[in-house]
């Protein structure tokens, strides 16, 4: 195999991990509340700017300010669900979609008003240079991002499967009425689930901040990609989201290498439409909601 | 006051306002008026497909862009007058609409998944045109300005205004006739319960395709008009998701599935944005924050839109159902 293809593959896997984390949040939100969250990209950007502000303001490493981003996004997600989306939980799904779209506009342009449209770049001095393995070059930022993704996913997994709150969230996603009858407070559980979903995309944004130059509408470019991954993995299926995140990352990176960057999105979206049409339940089997 | 009366009063008021408006408007205000009408045409187009037929589109930019690019490419490359190009563009958009409609019907794509598919279609077209050198690629196409009415180019913005006014009127008349016809009744039935409608012998596929294609054709008219009025198009303008949203928002505000709702919605949202722009010149983004806030407020407090709300208060079933 050509070394450059191998490089593209590796880059794809590393970026795919970050996509996967954001998509996992989207998938969780959909799985629990059946909401197609169009504010996901904007929330990711909020995570990016939180890291930027905290890192430059306090002069600390972006990997520590990541914690601030996680907390901010959890609170933001909780508030959005509790005070806005919950009010129309009985409305048709497209109204919920439009509500999140409105929220996205507010968040994104709020950032625009505060930070101007100019690109911001975070200078990272945690690492020196890049890691070379033969002809393969790996950026340490991407490696760390990948590692953090796995830690965060493991924590969320443990939380969902080992804690009462997590079990309540899963119960809601499997059968809302049933969960309610068992004494689970739906409203609070939903808000926590949305908070965790927001936290995922916030951390993903935080991990991208040292890699990319950020601007207020950057999240938009990840919005549709998150939908692609979440649906490919089966909406509500968290492991599916992780695996398809890696797939999308690799497909994008390899098509980018073979045919040029502008074609990579096209491949991804075309595959997306195909999946929507042929197998909307995703790559991994029939059920949207995994039962354990 | 019954629904009919409300409709008649609204119609008269809108018509009079629409006709005399250019005589009281300076250049800037006229420009806003034209933008209102573009949004109104897009809104009515979305209204046909999503308000009446219940197929929630999140990618109306695809039809708008096809309209803009078909007429412009035919004009700049082959010298075909944009008047003809406009009709061809509407035809192409209708065909693409029919394909999207057929696929989604064949594979039972509904609600949010249908919305996501339309969004992905718009993105695919954007990227395709972006990578097509003969269509100008990412730099777009500049339309040579010859001021020849035969080439859909006018010396005065007033003429542009009346042209787009006619299109908006056409779309509105189309919806009025449609909603009273068998087609409209069938669409209402499909929107209410597709399976039940099919069981009662409604040819669901046929009516859906008619709704989506006609909706696409009107959006394409708006696209061609945009290209001719501004004289420049590029893929990131005409295939932008903001265009798709611009088609939806007038309907949310005015009331989707109502005849005049999108007109009223466009009449409110575009000037509101202009006002925000002129009030906050030093801060970018304020107008879009207001835009987002308006969407949130209407979805939360007035989900049927202004007209939908009026109809509900009047106790008529006619508005949404």
């Amino acid at each position: 195999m050509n070394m450059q293809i191998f490089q593209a593959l590796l880059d794809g896997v590393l970026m795919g991990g970050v996509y996967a984390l954001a998509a996992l949040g989207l998938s969780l939100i959909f799985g629990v509340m059946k909401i197609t969250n169009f504010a996901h990209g904007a929330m990711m950007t909020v995570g990016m700017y939180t890291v930027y502000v905290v890192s430059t303001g306090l002069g600390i490493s972006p990997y520590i300010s990541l914690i601030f981003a996680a907390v901010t996004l959890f609170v933001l997600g909780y508030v959005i669900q509790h005070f806005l989306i919950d009010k129309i939980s009985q409305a048709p799904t497209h109204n919920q979609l439009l509500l999140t779209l409105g929220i996205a506009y507010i968040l994104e342009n709020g950032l625009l008003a505060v930070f101007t449209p100019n690109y911001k770049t975070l200078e990272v001095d945690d690492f020196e240079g890049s890691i070379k393995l033969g002809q393969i070059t790996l950026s340490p930022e991407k490696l760390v991002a990948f590692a953090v993704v796995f830690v965060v996913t493991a924590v969320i997994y443990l939380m969902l499967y080992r804690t009462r709150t997590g079990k309540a969230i899963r119960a809601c996603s499997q059968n809302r009425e049933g969960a309610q009858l068992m004494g689970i407070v739906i409203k609070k559980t939903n808000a926590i689930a949305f908070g965790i979903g927001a936290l995922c995309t916030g951390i993903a944004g935080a991990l991208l901040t040292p890699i990319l130059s950020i601007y207020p509408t950057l999240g938009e470019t990840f919005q549709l990609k998150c939908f692609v991954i979440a649906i490919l993995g089966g909406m509500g299926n968290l492991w599916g989201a992780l695996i398809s995140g890696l797939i999308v990352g690799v497909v994008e990176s390899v098509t980018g290498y073979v045919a040029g960057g502008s074609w990579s999105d096209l491949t991804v979206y075309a595959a997306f439409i195909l999946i929507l049409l042929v197998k909307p339940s995703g790559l991994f089997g029939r059920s949207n909601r995994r039962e354990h | 006051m019954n629904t009919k009366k409300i409709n008649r009063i609204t119609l008269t008021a809108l018509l009079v306002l629409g006709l005399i408006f250019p005589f009281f408007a300076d250049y800037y205000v006229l420009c806003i008026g034209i933008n209102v009408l573009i949004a109104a045409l897009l809104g009515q187009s979305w209204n046909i497909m999503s308000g009446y037929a219940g197929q929630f589109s999140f990618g109306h930019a695809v039809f708008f862009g096809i309209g803009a690019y078909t007429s412009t490419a035919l004009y700049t490359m082959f010298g075909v007058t944009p008047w003809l190009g406009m009709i061809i563009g509407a035809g192409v958009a209708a065909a693409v609409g029919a394909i999207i409609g057929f696929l989604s019907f064949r594979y039972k794509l509904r609600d949010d998944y249908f919305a996501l598919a339309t969004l992905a279609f718009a993105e695919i077209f954007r990227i395709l045109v972006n990578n097509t050198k003969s269509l100008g690629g990412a730099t777009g196409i500049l339309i040579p300005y010859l001021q020849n009415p035969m080439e859909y180019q006018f010396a005065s913005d007033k003429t542009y205004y009346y042209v787009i006014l006619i299109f908006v009127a056409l779309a509105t008349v189309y919806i009025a006739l449609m909603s009273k016809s068998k087609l409209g009744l069938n669409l209402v039935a499909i929107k209410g319960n597709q399976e039940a409608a099919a069981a009662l012998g409604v040819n669901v596929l046929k009516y859906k395709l008619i709704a989506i294609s006609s909706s696409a054709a009107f959006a394409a008219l708006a696209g061609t008009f945009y290209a001719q009025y501004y004289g420049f198009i590029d893929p990131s303008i005409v295939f932008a998701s903001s265009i798709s949203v611009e088609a939806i928002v007038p309907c949310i505000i005015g009331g989707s599935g109502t005849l005049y709702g999108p007109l009223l919605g466009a009449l409110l949202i575009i000037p509101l944005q202009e006002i925000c722009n002129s009030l906050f010149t030093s801060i970018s983004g304020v107008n879009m924050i207001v835009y987002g806030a308006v969407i949130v407020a209407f979805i939360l407090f007035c989900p049927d839109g202004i007209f939908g709300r009026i109809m509900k208060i009047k106790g008529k079933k006619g508005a949404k159902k």
Side-chain angles (χ1 to χ4, degrees):
Chain A
M1 195 179 358
N2 185 319
M3 268 324 202
Q4 275 164 311
I5 280 247
F6 195 64
Q7 171 85 51
L9 257 168
L10 225 85
D11 277 339
V13 169
L14 293 183
M15 277 308 268
V18 182
Y19 295 164
L21 182 59
L24 188 144
L26 189 74
S27 197
L28 181 73
I29 290 171
F30 186 88
V32 177
M33 283 151 286
K34 304 285 169 286
I35 286 171
T36 306
N37 180 22
F38 264 86
H40 214 65
M43 295 196 306
M44 182 191 265
T45 328
V46 175
M48 293 173 177
Y49 275 90
T50 311
V51 166
Y52 178 80
V53 169
V54 174
S55 286
T56 47
L58 302 179
I60 55 177
S61 157
Y63 297 100
I64 296 169
S65 35
L66 185 143
I67 296 160
F68 288 86
V71 174
T72 311
L73 264 293
F74 179 83
V75 173
L76 180 70
Y78 192 100
V79 166
I80 287 174
Q81 170 65 29
H82 187 86
F83 290 102
L84 298 172
I85 298 174
D86 190 69
K87 305 286 178 230
I88 58 158
S89 56
Q90 304 303 321
T93 55
H94 60 254
N95 275 13
Q96 295 170 355
L97 182 160
L98 288 169
L99 181 62
T100 59
L101 179 76
I103 294 168
Y105 274 116
I106 295 173
L107 291 177
E108 215 171 79
N109 293 285
L111 291 173
L112 186 67
V114 177
F115 295 101
T116 73
N118 297 335
Y119 285 61
K120 306 252 190 261
T121 313
L122 197 61
E123 299 296 335
V124 188
D125 45 15
D126 296 48
F127 312 108
E128 277 175 34
S130 49
I131 303 164
K132 281 198 165 50
L133 296 169
Q135 283 169 292
I136 308 277
T137 318
L138 288 173
S139 106
E141 287 90 354
K142 287 185 184 171
L143 276 175
V144 172
F146 196 72
V148 173
V149 166
F150 267 82
V151 174
V152 173
T153 312
V155 170
I156 288 171
Y157 183 83
L158 285 176
M159 188 262 168
L160 284 177
Y161 284 85
R162 295 276 183 275
T163 66
R164 285 187 73 85
T165 318
K167 284 176 182 168
I169 290 174
R170 287 194 303 127
C172 284
S173 94
Q174 280 170 12
N175 187 334
R176 185 183 291 238
E177 284 75 27
Q180 196 160 20
L181 287 173
M182 294 301 114
I184 292 171
V185 184
I186 301 283
K187 188 172 170 166
K188 192 176 150 204
T189 312
N190 281 350
I192 293 174
F194 204 101
I196 295 173
L199 172 145
C200 289
T201 190
I203 294 180
L207 292 171
L208 288 172
T209 314
I211 303 172
L212 305 167
S213 289
I214 61 171
Y215 52 94
T217 50
L218 179 56
E220 265 178 30
T221 52
F222 295 102
Q223 177 76 58
L224 189 53
K225 216 165 274 170
C226 284
F227 282 127
V228 174
I229 295 166
I231 285 176
L232 196 64
M235 273 289 204
N237 180 343
L238 304 187
W239 290 116
L242 273 187
I243 296 167
S244 43
L246 298 181
I247 295 175
V248 168
V250 169
V251 168
E252 194 184 75
S253 173
V254 173
T255 9
Y257 168 70
V258 175
S262 50
W263 294 103
S264 56
D265 280 346
L266 189 77
T267 322
V268 171
Y269 297 148
F272 176 54
I273 290 180
L274 209 66
I275 284 282
L276 274 178
L277 293 176
V278 182
K279 208 157 181 299
S281 58
L283 287 179
F284 310 103
R286 252 277 24 116
S287 84
N288 272 356
R289 292 166 250 156
R290 277 164 60 108
E291 272 141 336
H292 280 263
Chain B
M1 210 159 52
N2 58 21
T3 315
K4 227 176 194 170
K5 221 168 183 182
I6 296 175
N7 274 344
R8 203 173 301 143
I9 292 170
T10 320
L11 176 65
T12 322
L14 285 175
L15 208 60
V16 171
L17 177 71
L19 284 173
I20 63 168
F21 174 78
F23 297 101
F24 301 97
D26 60 10
Y27 175 75
Y28 171 63
V29 177
L30 187 64
C31 192
I32 298 172
I34 290 173
N35 282 324
V36 167
L37 290 173
I38 293 176
L41 185 54
L42 269 172
Q44 287 295 40
S45 148
W46 192 83
N47 200 15
I48 297 170
M49 174 164 162
S50 308
Y52 283 90
Q55 302 292 300
F56 189 89
S57 159
F58 206 86
H60 249 55
V62 68
F63 309 127
F64 184 86
I66 286 173
Y69 263 97
T70 308
S71 64
T72 305
L74 286 175
Y75 179 55
T76 52
M77 293 199 285
F78 306 107
V80 178
T81 164
W83 289 115
L84 183 60
M86 170 183 87
I87 294 163
I88 298 172
V92 175
V96 171
I99 292 169
I100 295 177
F102 176 77
L103 286 176
S104 61
F105 178 83
R106 165 69 181 74
Y107 293 100
K108 300 188 172 59
L109 210 56
R110 299 244 184 108
D111 302 330
D112 289 10
Y113 279 18
F114 180 77
L116 287 174
T118 54
L119 173 61
F121 268 111
E123 277 298 292
I124 286 177
F125 269 85
R126 185 181 63 76
I127 299 168
L128 275 178
V129 175
N130 222 8
N131 286 301
T132 309
K133 288 235 162 53
S134 54
L135 289 174
T139 38
I141 309 178
L142 193 66
I143 302 169
Y145 184 56
L146 305 170
Q147 267 195 32
N148 181 356
M150 294 304 289
E151 312 285 359
Y152 201 149
Q153 294 180 343
F154 313 107
S156 156
D157 274 11
K158 275 186 187 154
T159 323
Y160 277 110
Y161 175 90
Y162 284 112
V163 167
I164 185 83
L165 184 67
I166 291 170
F167 290 147
V168 173
L170 268 177
T172 310
V173 169
Y174 177 85
I175 294 177
L177 293 176
M178 182 192 81
S179 62
K180 289 213 179 69
S181 71
K182 194 178 155 202
L183 168 64
L185 295 176
N186 282 324
L187 287 178
V188 170
I190 292 169
K191 187 185 177 186
N193 186 335
Q194 185 172 312
E195 283 74 21
L200 289 171
V202 175
N203 186 341
V204 175
L205 176 61
K206 178 180 145 195
Y207 289 109
K208 269 191 177 175
L209 291 189
I210 294 176
I212 295 179
S213 299
S214 52
S215 167
F218 280 114
L221 293 188
T224 299
F225 179 86
Y226 180 95
Q228 292 303 121
Y229 178 60
Y230 285 101
F232 172 73
I233 53 171
D234 78 29
S236 64
I237 298 175
V238 294
F239 288 109
S241 58
S242 58
I243 297 281
S244 304
V245 177
E246 197 172 311
I248 303 174
V249 172
C251 299
I252 302 173
I253 296 175
S256 72
T258 66
L259 182 54
Y260 302 114
L263 306 180
L264 187 68
L267 200 54
L268 291 174
I269 190 68
I270 300 287
L272 179 68
Q273 277 189 283
E274 285 300 327
I275 291 167
C276 290
N277 267 343
S278 53
L279 283 181
F280 303 95
T281 42
S282 55
I283 318 166
S284 47
V286 174
N287 66 326
M288 293 309 287
I289 295 176
V290 174
Y291 196 68
V294 167
I295 297 176
V296 169
F298 268 89
I299 292 291
L300 284 181
F301 304 114
C302 190
D304 298 321
I306 297 170
F307 263 91
R309 177 58 74 83
I310 293 172
M311 300 299 180
K312 258 195 181 162
I313 291 171
K314 290 289 159 200
K316 293 279 174 189
K317 286 182 185 165
K320 272 207 90 169
K321 294 230 167 99

